[in-house]
Every structure is written in structure tokens, then in C-alpha cells.
Amino acid sequence: MGFYEVYNYDVDLIAGFGFRKTMKHVCRRLGVRKKDILSKSRERDIVEARHLFWYFAKKWTDSPISLIARYSNCTHSTVIHGIKNVRNIAELDLKRKMIENDRKER
């Protein structure tokens, strides 16, 4: 399952997750290791997984960003940036799909 499919995954099935369960879920769905997500790696797949973990940790646990940052061994501003990236990519994906659908109708 790719980046966009994980973003749109049914949250009701996963409500109440803590950091460990959220991490485990993201790792399993994207095929990456927890060790890699918590590393300083800048490989695209790892960065996307890390950003998705932050996004879902915020969404599913309602934890403050400072706590997510501490768990991830980074700054709160880095987590904010990653969460914004996930939101922006999701918006772009929706716009892309809308444009593709418009073209198919013509």
C-alpha cells in the first residue's frame, strides 16, 4: 500500500492507538522498520514514513507535538513541517485525481 492509500486509511478501525501501535501500523503498511523511521535518514521512503507516523500520531493520539517530537528524537518544528507535508501531498493528490476525472469525462 502506498503513501496516499495509507493517508486515507479508515481511521475508525484504528481509533485509540498509542505511539507504539501507530508506529507498528505505519511500519507494517509501508514495509519500513521502526529503527529507520526514528533514524536521521533522508531517504525518500523513510522520510515519507516518518512524516506519516507524525501525522497519524497527532491525529489518532491527540498528543501534543512536543511529545511526538520527543518520542521521535527531533524538534517540534520538524514534526510540524512533516505534518504539513502530509496534508499538502494529500491535497495535491486529490486535485490530481479531480483533474484526471475531468479529463476522462470529456
Side-chain angles (χ1 to χ4, degrees):
M1 182 169 277
F3 183 78
Y4 305 109
E5 289 83 13
V6 172
Y7 179 84
N8 292 315
Y9 195 71
D10 188 0
V11 177
D12 294 335
L13 297 175
I14 312 164
F17 264 30
F19 287 161
R20 278 184 264 153
K21 286 186 179 180
T22 302
M23 177 67 76
K24 185 177 180 180
H25 185 72
V26 170
C27 288
R28 186 180 31 185
R29 299 296 279 185
L30 297 179
V32 297
R33 298 177 302 183
K34 174 182 176 180
K35 175 179 141 181
D36 293 332
I37 291 178
L38 296 177
S39 74
K40 301 289 183 186
S41 173
R42 294 176 64 187
E43 290 180 33
R44 185 181 188 118
D45 292 346
I46 305 297
V47 170
E48 287 178 352
R50 185 180 305 129
H51 289 182
L52 281 165
F53 166 71
W54 293 339
Y55 173 83
F56 287 122
K58 179 65 180 158
K59 186 171 186 173
W60 294 341
T61 68
D62 289 326
S63 296
I65 289 176
S66 59
L67 188 60
I68 297 168
R70 234 177 301 152
Y71 181 85
S72 302
N73 196 28
C74 63
T75 65
H76 76 284
S77 58
T78 302
V79 173
I80 291 169
H81 176 74
I83 291 171
K84 284 181 182 178
N85 281 344
V86 172
R87 289 184 183 143
N88 291 340
I89 289 171
E91 287 176 21
L92 286 175
D93 189 49
L94 290 173
K95 290 175 184 176
R96 179 190 56 81
K97 287 179 181 177
M98 186 175 66
I99 291 169
E100 286 175 354
N101 289 338
D102 287 346
R103 186 163 187 244
K104 287 178 185 176
E105 290 175 2
R106 291 182 184 194

